[in-house]
Amino acid sequence: MAEDYANLMAQLKSGDLDEFVVEPADFMAFQTAYMQFESRKRIVGKAEKNGKIIYHYDHDQTQ
């Protein structure tokens, strides 16, 4: 089942979700949604072992 990454990113932005994990096999699906997300520069990922990436929204970032 494919994740709705646009919805997950919107939940990060609204504060309804603190973080979500993207597995290596799902990265290209995430990347497509990420490139279309309006405030993508505030979506920050941290690489973990085995290619997992944990994403969160940077609410404190200044533009």
Side-chain angles (χ1 to χ4, degrees), residues 31-59:
Q31 180 70 7
T32 300
Y34 174 79
M35 293 306 293
Q36 296 174 3
F37 193 69
E38 181 181 327
S39 55
R40 68 180 169 267
K41 292 185 180 184
R42 291 182 176 230
I43 303 290
V44 179
K46 180 181 177 190
E48 297 287 318
K49 289 183 179 180
N50 299 320
K52 285 187 200 178
I53 305 173
I54 300 174
Y55 287 95
H56 72 275
Y57 192 85
D58 186 358
H59 293 278

